[in-house]
Amino acid sequence: MLKFLRKPLMAFALLIFTVAGAKAYTVSGTVTDSIGEPMIEATVRLLSAKDSSFVKGGTTNIDGRFSLSGINRGNYIVQTSYIGYDPSNTDVNVVSSNVRLQPIVLKESSIMLKETVVTAVKTEIVVKEDTVEYNAGSYKTQPGAAMEELLKKLPGVEVDSDGKITAHGKEVTKILVDGKEFFSDDPKVASKNLPATMIDKLQVVDRKSDLARLTGVDDGEEETVINLTVKPGMKNGWFGVANAGAGTDSRYAGDFNVNRFWNGNQITFLGNFNNINQLGFTDSNGSRFRRFGGNNGVNTSQSLGFNFNVGRQDETFRAGGDVLYSHTDQDTRKRQERQYIFPDSASYLNSQSTSRDKGHNVRGDFRIEWKPDSFTTLELRPRFSFNFNHSLSADSSLTSAGDAMRSPVNRSINTGDSKGNSYDAGAELWFNHMSKSHPGRSFSLMAEYSMSNVREDDYSYSWNKFFTPGVDPDDLQDQYTDNHTWSNTVGFRATWTEPIGDAKKGRFIDISYRMSYRWNNADKMVYDHPVTYPGDGSDPVIDYLEEVWNPDLSNRFRNTFFNQRIQVGFKKISKDFNFNVGIGLTPSMSKSDNLINTEKNISRWVWNIAPFLRYRHKLSKTRSITLDYRGRTSAPSMTQLQPVADMSNPLRIVVGNPNLDPSFSHNVRLRFQDFNADAQRSIMAMADAQVVQNAIVSKTTFNQQTGGQQTTYANVNGNWNAGFFAMMSMPLRNRHWQTNIHIFSRYTQSIGFNNGQRNRSGAFNFRPSLGLAFRTDVWDIELRPFYGLQTTRNSLKSVNSNDITNYGARFNGQWYAPFGLVLSTDLSFTANRGYAAGYDSDEWMWNAQISYQFLSERNATISIKAYDLLQNKKSLNRSVTASYIDDTSYNSLTRYFMLSFSYRFNTFGKGKRPSGFNEAVGPGGHGGPRRGPGGGRPPRF
């Protein structure tokens, strides 16, 4: 019997060993230059050691890493190359496990291109595809400065008074550190807390959403992010900085930042506390609760956070996340002058208000990524938050008629007291698999769940006195409102990508389906304190002991939303161009049940079509042009649909319109970028346009007797806008001089209503700016003049046209002494013209700082800072619509002086410390000239 089974058993064993021997492995590694900087998009080829035949290839990612999967046992050669560097050949033997190579170091080529040696100067700006890269060493900051100060120096990047970052006209939604998320979707945490000295390069990237980049299927979501590359010498060890300062007018500021980097891993501890408006995070309470001060005024804040990103060196497993506690105490004082414009008259509103908003928040976001093999990715993203808020407000206003005497129409006094708390939680699970047996085929699944629960108690007092004959002279309301909103959301997405023919020809079909189902419950229960009006003309009497339910102002909604998107697309990928085109069908259902008044229930289905197109042509390795088109549909909100009057402010009543249609927008964008390495010249130009069909706009009518107004919503056609943005940066003949030019312009046509009459408003904005900088190891000087023009024209003859101009310049200067003394100053002048009487202004803003660095490695810095030396800081804003012109001003920080101490530490060891970390060196840094243009290699996000 055994003799009979011997041959089959031997054949079966041979088959097992053959299969085992055919198991595929992965060869991975990292490519760097001679100073340890990652080589991005370096070419990696795996060759057979027997005959040097090609086996597999690829390019390195943002971290200089590569991974070649599906490799059989045997002897190979890893050949690595990059333009301007000598190629490298590394022998590798694949036996019975994955192979992780030692870092491959490429050396600059000794062959001189065009027999010319390019020396000394690093390129300030490099433009490539969807990335604009800034060399951080070219923009010197004060000792101990945070990243935000560096951002303010970058051409094309703006940071407003709230800390919001805008790059080339787009809001930045995330900041990455070496390609990894840092405190999720809150860029302020990085910009306000990370030290500028740790940054080697800063890359502004326009990219698709995380899910689209994982699956390769466009979901229509895009974002602008900033990626920070850490200086090569700081990627292994501890480093950090602590700052503390005290100033006049009881001003104080302190922060700390401790970082640990090792083997591609990172942890960060940070804290921030101050009363000088340096909010080190995004305050999310404004989107959850009723807050009165907005983002203006003077803010006292504290925060404490932890961020981590750790994993295996072969990237098969990685975990990251962050936890942040924050507290804010905001004091806001506002002065407002608004002119309401009617077809046959005008009225004026003058108001003053004060508010106090306090909040506590704890939030956490986490990411867990597992790659069981090179073809499969599984990612989990849980999150949570707890939020508490208390807001107080008081305001008074006077509405006047448009006659010569400015006759009073009404006077209003309002107070508010609101307390609330909320908790949120949710998670997303992503799965993506690429077929091993069928190259180019892939599929993905995504499931998500989120919940939110918000409770808020609101006490309000409103007294209105009317001066028009025939109108009751007094209206008084004192109310308590119990608000409770809770919701649950589930979502699902599936995608499939299939190659057409041979995947090497780069033709693919994408099919995707996405759904989101949300239950939203909102209860607003309003109770009145009864008011008695004595017949003798004395003041009204409020009974605070009794609460009477007010059914006219209360509502209880049970809302259901079901949104779907079915999408089919075709994409073509080639060496010279990428092309992606398709169409999406977006059916959506919305249902709202009013438990108090069932006659106001709403239920509707809406079907829309959303086409898309994206074409990118590579004219050369450093020059490309991109064209994007996308159609988007936007359904009206339940607030806009509900035919229920919101009378929380009797003079500002809002009623929805159940007959609204969804709006549909056509969006086109054209972008050109070019980088000339020989001239170190970077150019980027971008044009975009948007046309909106069935745009949803406010329609307000005014009661000239009482000065009150009622707002509803309507669909209109004719809304469109178009804009142009361009930038150029290049050094002059003397490479210590650098110049950059920016031009931004936009025309917007808006259809609105002026007291019920249709009005077409056209607004043109034009903002050119020029930058000229001189930088050496001792001096860093920059001058940026600017000019802004805003013109508004209206079709209604009764509506005045207006022109607003803003012009001025900003000067930055720094001097670095060899013994550790640093002198810094920035002086700006801004002139505002065209505002209402009393709002035009000439503002000079002068800040200065003297710093001295000491100890053996200049780890310590003592500095004296003067803010607003001329005590001329102002906060003005103008808003123009078809119905009114609004000028507002807010309280702001004024002159103060602060004495600060800063201490930096690191464990890099002497001789390994990155240049510029502890020393006040010039923009060129240490190490002398470098061969080649010195530009970075932008990543492919």
Side-chain angles (χ1 to χ4, degrees):
M1 182 68 178
L2 291 175
K3 183 177 181 181
F4 177 76
L5 293 175
R6 184 178 302 169
K7 289 185 178 181
L9 288 172
M10 291 180 62
F12 179 73
L14 180 61
L15 177 62
I16 293 296
F17 283 116
T18 302
V19 172
K23 181 180 179 181
Y25 301 98
T26 299
V27 176
S28 60
T30 304
V31 182
T32 70
D33 61 11
S34 57
I35 63 172
E37 183 178 350
M39 303 287 288
I40 303 171
E41 292 188 347
T43 301
V44 181
R45 304 171 71 235
L46 187 68
L47 309 178
S48 171
K50 181 179 180 180
D51 54 7
S52 296
S53 60
F54 176 80
V55 178
K56 203 158 192 177
T59 58
T60 55
N61 65 8
I62 181 178
D63 300 313
R65 294 192 178 100
F66 67 90
S67 179
L68 305 176
S69 58
I71 309 303
N72 296 325
R73 295 171 58 183
N75 295 320
Y76 300 93
I77 300 172
V78 176
Q79 186 180 82
T80 314
S81 60
Y82 194 88
I83 296 176
Y85 291 77
D86 292 328
S88 169
N89 294 315
T90 305
D91 295 330
V92 57
N93 182 21
V94 180
V95 182
S96 59
S97 63
N98 296 333
V99 177
R100 175 75 178 181
L101 300 176
Q102 293 295 319
I104 299 173
V105 180
L106 299 185
K107 298 181 179 180
E108 294 182 71
S109 175
S110 59
I111 300 175
M112 299 295 102
L113 298 177
K114 299 183 181 179
E115 299 182 354
T116 301
V117 178
V118 181
T119 61
V121 181
K122 289 186 176 181
T123 306
E124 284 198 8
I125 303 175
V126 177
V127 178
K128 184 178 180 182
E129 295 185 357
D130 288 337
T131 301
V132 179
E133 180 178 84
Y134 299 88
N135 176 26
S138 298
Y139 306 92
K140 197 61 182 174
T141 57
Q142 298 175 358
M147 171 193 168
E148 184 179 68
E149 184 177 331
L150 173 63
L151 290 173
K152 292 179 179 179
K153 292 177 176 287
L154 304 181
V157 178
E158 297 178 355
V159 182
D160 68 10
S161 57
D162 301 325
K164 184 178 76 172
I165 306 167
T166 304
H168 314 132
K170 300 179 180 179
E171 183 178 353
V172 173
T173 57
K174 289 181 182 179
I175 288 182
L176 315 178
V177 176
D178 280 338
K180 301 176 180 67
E181 287 189 11
F182 189 83
F183 281 91
S184 304
D185 297 331
D186 191 350
K188 286 186 184 179
V189 177
S191 64
K192 297 283 189 179
N193 294 281
L194 289 182
T197 49
M198 67 177 282
I199 303 170
D200 182 33
K201 292 181 175 62
L202 188 148
Q203 298 153 341
V204 178
V205 185
D206 292 326
R207 68 179 194 177
K208 298 178 182 178
S209 68
D210 292 340
L211 191 60
R213 287 181 290 107
L214 175 67
T215 63
V217 179
D218 192 356
D219 60 0
E221 302 296 330
E222 294 184 347
E223 60 183 359
T224 298
V225 303
I226 289 179
N227 178 57
L228 312 177
T229 64
V230 180
K231 291 179 178 178
M234 300 175 72
K235 295 186 177 182
N236 281 286
W238 290 86
F239 68 91
V241 59
N243 302 287
T248 58
D249 297 330
S250 301
R251 300 298 174 194
Y252 64 87
D255 63 85
F256 69 88
N257 185 285
V258 180
N259 303 273
R260 168 78 163 106
F261 283 79
W262 78 100
N263 299 329
N265 301 316
Q266 166 264 327
I267 57 173
T268 297
F269 299 90
L270 56 84
N272 186 304
F273 56 94
N274 67 83
N275 63 352
I276 57 172
N277 275 1
Q278 292 298 317
L279 198 65
F281 50 89
T282 298
D283 186 3
S284 59
N285 274 7
S287 61
R288 291 186 174 92
F289 305 107
R290 186 186 180 196
R291 307 195 80 181
F292 304 108
N295 296 318
N296 302 288
V298 178
N299 211 323
T300 300
S301 63
Q302 301 86 37
S303 63
L304 186 66
F306 169 68
N307 184 88
F308 69 99
N309 199 302
V310 297
R312 300 182 57 177
Q313 288 190 6
D314 60 5
E315 297 296 320
T316 57
F317 180 82
R318 182 157 291 276
D322 55 81
V323 178
L324 180 72
Y325 162 77
S326 60
H327 169 251
T328 58
D329 184 353
Q330 181 174 289
D331 179 18
T332 307
R333 299 168 193 178
K334 175 183 175 182
R335 184 168 66 95
Q336 179 183 32
E337 182 169 313
R338 174 177 292 187
Q339 178 186 1
Y340 290 104
I341 308 168
F342 308 124
D344 56 353
S345 63
S347 67
Y348 299 87
L349 171 70
N350 292 277
S351 66
Q352 292 186 345
S353 65
T354 179
S355 61
R356 192 78 177 267
D357 299 297
K358 299 180 180 181
H360 294 268
N361 307 81
V362 178
R363 70 174 189 256
D365 294 88
F366 305 94
R367 301 170 300 279
I368 302 173
E369 183 182 69
W370 178 44
K371 296 181 179 179
D373 54 55
S374 57
F375 301 98
T376 306
T377 301
L378 188 66
E379 188 167 342
L380 176 64
R381 294 193 169 201
R383 61 188 180 276
F384 72 88
S385 72
F386 298 96
N387 313 278
F388 306 90
N389 185 77
H390 186 196
S391 295
L392 299 168
S393 74
D395 70 77
S396 64
S397 65
L398 174 65
T399 302
S400 305
D403 57 13
M405 301 296 294
R406 295 283 182 95
S407 303
V409 177
N410 70 61
R411 178 177 294 278
S412 178
I413 296 176
N414 301 277
T415 63
D417 184 349
S418 177
K419 295 181 180 180
N421 62 80
S422 74
Y423 57 90
D424 307 80
E428 295 179 2
L429 181 63
W430 300 353
F431 171 80
N432 187 69
H433 179 74
M434 297 179 292
S435 175
K436 178 181 177 181
S437 59
H438 200 308
R441 175 184 294 170
S442 67
F443 73 93
S444 68
L445 300 172
M446 185 275 290
E448 63 177 332
Y449 170 76
S450 62
M451 61 81 62
S452 174
N453 193 307
V454 182
R455 299 213 68 140
E456 189 170 18
D457 294 326
D458 182 56
Y459 297 88
S460 62
Y461 169 89
S462 175
W463 174 75
N464 299 290
K465 185 174 183 61
F466 302 99
F467 301 97
T468 304
V471 178
D472 290 339
D474 293 290
D475 178 72
L476 179 63
Q477 291 185 2
D478 194 280
Q479 297 173 330
Y480 161 67
T481 303
D482 179 9
N483 289 293
H484 184 202
T485 303
W486 65 105
S487 64
N488 294 270
T489 303
V490 294
F492 172 78
R493 183 176 190 254
T495 69
W496 184 280
T497 299
E498 184 72 20
I500 302 176
D502 190 347
K504 295 181 180 179
K505 294 182 179 180
R507 295 191 298 264
F508 302 89
I509 289 289
D510 295 327
I511 302 174
S512 67
Y513 170 77
R514 184 167 190 167
M515 61 78 68
S516 175
Y517 199 93
R518 181 164 66 98
W519 302 268
N520 173 265
N521 308 283
D523 288 352
K524 179 182 179 181
M525 308 301 290
V526 180
Y527 301 89
D528 292 324
H529 292 132
V531 179
T532 302
Y533 295 89
D536 57 4
S538 58
D539 291 338
V541 178
I542 302 174
D543 183 0
Y544 289 101
L545 299 178
E546 184 179 359
E547 292 181 349
V548 180
W549 180 55
N550 189 327
D552 294 330
L553 300 184
S554 300
N555 54 64
R556 300 184 66 195
F557 294 122
R558 300 297 178 261
N559 305 317
T560 305
F561 306 91
F562 182 37
N563 299 313
Q564 302 175 82
R565 183 182 178 94
I566 304 101
Q567 178 175 299
V568 178
F570 167 79
K571 61 183 176 183
K572 166 67 177 175
I573 302 173
S574 69
K575 178 181 178 182
D576 297 325
F577 70 89
N578 293 345
F579 178 69
N580 192 4
V581 64
I583 192 169
L585 180 64
T586 59
S588 61
M589 182 274 292
S590 56
K591 180 182 178 182
S592 179
D593 294 332
N594 190 326
L595 302 187
I596 295 178
N597 187 349
T598 58
E599 294 181 357
K600 296 181 179 180
N601 292 351
I602 297 175
S603 180
R604 58 191 290 164
W605 274 92
V606 177
W607 295 72
N608 284 287
I609 297 176
F612 65 91
L613 178 147
R614 181 177 178 87
Y615 177 79
R616 173 183 290 162
H617 192 92
K618 296 181 180 180
L619 304 175
S620 69
K621 289 186 176 181
T622 59
R623 181 182 301 169
S624 65
I625 187 169
T626 304
L627 174 66
D628 285 287
Y629 166 80
R630 184 167 294 276
R632 297 179 184 273
T633 184
S634 179
S637 67
M638 278 299 170
T639 300
Q640 294 170 328
L641 289 171
Q642 287 287 354
V644 180
D646 180 357
M647 301 178 62
S648 53
N649 184 342
L651 294 179
R652 304 289 184 267
I653 300 173
V654 180
V655 183
N657 178 4
N659 298 315
L660 286 176
D661 293 323
S663 63
F664 188 86
S665 63
H666 303 269
N667 304 273
V668 181
R669 183 181 64 184
L670 180 66
R671 171 172 170 154
F672 169 81
Q673 51 271 326
D674 177 55
F675 172 64
N676 186 306
D678 293 332
Q680 298 186 34
R681 181 184 66 241
S682 295
I683 298 175
M684 184 180 75
M686 186 164 56
D688 66 273
Q690 181 187 65
V691 178
V692 184
Q693 298 173 255
N694 289 325
I696 300 173
V697 301
S698 299
K699 187 176 182 179
T700 302
T701 55
F702 296 82
N703 186 324
Q704 296 189 24
Q705 287 188 318
T706 64
Q709 63 187 50
Q710 178 169 307
T711 299
T712 186
Y713 304 93
N715 289 114
V716 298
N717 287 312
N719 282 12
W720 64 274
N721 67 83
F724 175 77
F725 172 82
M727 63 168 282
M728 182 181 73
S729 175
M730 64 177 294
L732 302 179
R733 182 177 295 273
N734 182 333
R735 293 304 174 99
H736 289 303
W737 291 88
Q738 182 82 15
T739 182
N740 57 78
I741 301 173
H742 286 77
I743 297 175
F744 174 85
S745 64
R746 181 167 296 279
Y747 180 82
T748 302
Q749 177 174 289
S750 303
I751 304 298
F753 293 90
N754 187 297
N755 200 22
Q757 291 193 355
R758 184 184 175 96
N759 178 57
R760 184 179 68 252
S761 176
F764 174 71
N765 285 273
F766 179 63
R767 298 202 310 267
S769 65
L770 171 69
L772 182 64
F774 175 75
R775 297 185 173 100
T776 69
D777 288 347
V778 177
W779 292 96
D780 189 322
I781 300 174
E782 183 177 25
L783 178 65
R784 288 190 186 182
F786 62 87
Y787 176 80
L789 171 66
Q790 176 184 317
T791 66
T792 305
R793 301 292 182 266
N794 297 282
S795 62
L796 287 177
K797 295 181 180 180
S798 60
V799 181
N800 296 329
S801 300
N802 62 85
D803 299 319
I804 300 293
T805 57
N806 311 97
Y807 57 88
R810 181 180 177 88
F811 170 81
N812 298 289
Q814 292 171 315
W815 177 71
Y816 307 90
F819 53 86
L821 182 68
V822 181
L823 304 180
S824 307
T825 187
D826 62 85
L827 176 66
S828 65
F829 169 73
T830 303
N832 302 293
R833 298 292 183 269
Y835 290 86
Y839 285 82
D840 283 345
S841 65
D842 292 337
E843 178 180 307
W844 288 90
M845 186 68 181
W846 184 18
N847 304 319
Q849 180 170 314
I850 301 175
S851 305
Y852 178 69
Q853 296 180 307
F854 57 98
L855 298 184
S856 59
E857 294 186 354
R858 296 183 179 174
N859 297 68
T861 302
I862 188 169
S863 61
I864 299 176
K865 177 182 179 180
Y867 176 83
D868 190 15
L869 274 168
L870 304 178
Q871 202 165 2
N872 200 24
K873 175 68 175 176
K874 298 179 177 66
S875 179
L876 301 174
N877 181 57
R878 164 163 283 204
S879 176
V880 179
T881 71
S883 302
Y884 62 80
I885 300 174
D886 190 68
D887 292 320
T888 56
S889 65
Y890 297 90
N891 61 317
S892 57
L893 284 175
T894 55
R895 181 174 57 196
Y896 68 87
F897 299 86
M898 182 169 288
L899 176 66
S900 301
F901 175 77
S902 175
Y903 182 77
R904 305 176 188 83
F905 72 91
N906 69 80
T907 61
F908 305 132
K910 191 173 182 179
K912 297 181 181 180
R913 182 165 38 86
S915 66
F917 182 69
N918 283 333
E919 299 183 26
V921 298
H926 298 291
R930 292 186 61 191
R931 194 182 307 277
R937 292 163 293 278
R940 185 182 301 277
F941 286 89

